[in-house]
Amino acid sequence: MLSRRSPLLIAVIAVAVAISLAAPAAARTGTARTKMFHFVNDYRREHGRRSLRENVDVNRLAQRHSEAMATQRVLFHSSSLSTKLRAEDPSLWGENIGMGTSIWNVFKAWTRSAEHRQNMLRSGFRKAGVGIMWSRGQCWLTMIFYG
């Protein structure tokens, strides 16, 4: 027999299920972001550069870009990056994008590309943001650097 509380109970259960499904995706993105910062900062230190500091606002910019690339299923650079970073007052900026089956694979591809390697090692860069979107077994990655 259904009581008057049944619709409320169903709503509570639905919210709990939605939260439990969303949490692993957010945790996976957070873990992947931490890994990418670790890979890039270790690489920078190996080459005598200072570690980059993470900026959560720039993480959000990078995340939106990674989501757009995954949705469109094509790699492309951000448009008007200088305008999007205006609040950070940067004197220089750069962006690496990539897609692969793992964070490590994208990072290793960047180390083999002169342009991507230059962004990772540029001494004038002090901060960065990372966005990662998993879609169809691929991670779509954006890393925005600035100084």
Side-chain angles (χ1 to χ4, degrees), residues 3 7 9 11 19 32-33 38 49 53 71 82 97-98 101 105 108 114 116 124 133-134 136-137 139-140 145:
S3 69
L9 180 60
I19 290 171
R33 180 179 290 119
H38 177 78
R49 306 297 192 278
R53 292 182 310 228
T71 299
S82 61
I97 59 170
T101 56
N105 288 345
K108 288 308 288 180
H116 293 96
M133 178 66 183
W134 292 91
R136 300 176 188 215
C139 68
W140 298 79
F145 306 87

Side-chain angles (χ1 to χ4, degrees), residues 102-147:
S102 72
I103 304 304
W104 178 251
N105 288 345
V106 173
F107 168 74
K108 288 308 288 180
W110 288 354
T111 65
R112 292 188 288 269
S113 158
E115 294 84 5
H116 293 96
R117 192 172 49 251
Q118 180 181 9
N119 278 342
M120 289 192 294
L121 295 176
R122 191 161 185 175
S123 60
F125 291 148
R126 298 286 185 245
K127 295 182 181 180
V130 172
I132 299 168
M133 178 66 183
W134 292 91
S135 177
R136 300 176 188 215
Q138 300 289 318
C139 68
W140 298 79
L141 205 138
T142 304
M143 188 162 191
I144 299 171
F145 306 87
Y146 68 98

Side-chain angles (χ1 to χ4, degrees), residues 15-29:
V15 168
V17 168
I19 290 171
S20 69
L21 292 176
R28 185 176 186 190
T29 298

Side-chain angles (χ1 to χ4, degrees), residues 66-96:
S66 292
E67 290 169 2
M69 290 190 302
T71 299
Q72 296 176 39
R73 297 176 62 192
V74 65
L75 290 169
F76 57 91
H77 283 283
S78 298
S79 61
S80 306
L81 195 53
S82 61
T83 301
K84 293 174 183 174
L85 289 172
R86 185 176 294 144
E88 308 306 325
D89 194 29
S91 57
L92 64 151
W93 53 88
E95 177 186 61
N96 284 0

Side-chain angles (χ1 to χ4, degrees), residues 49-61:
R49 306 297 192 278
R50 285 200 249 163
S51 293
L52 296 168
R53 292 182 310 228
E54 183 176 4
N55 180 313
V56 295
D57 292 329
V58 178
N59 281 348
R60 283 190 281 274
L61 276 174

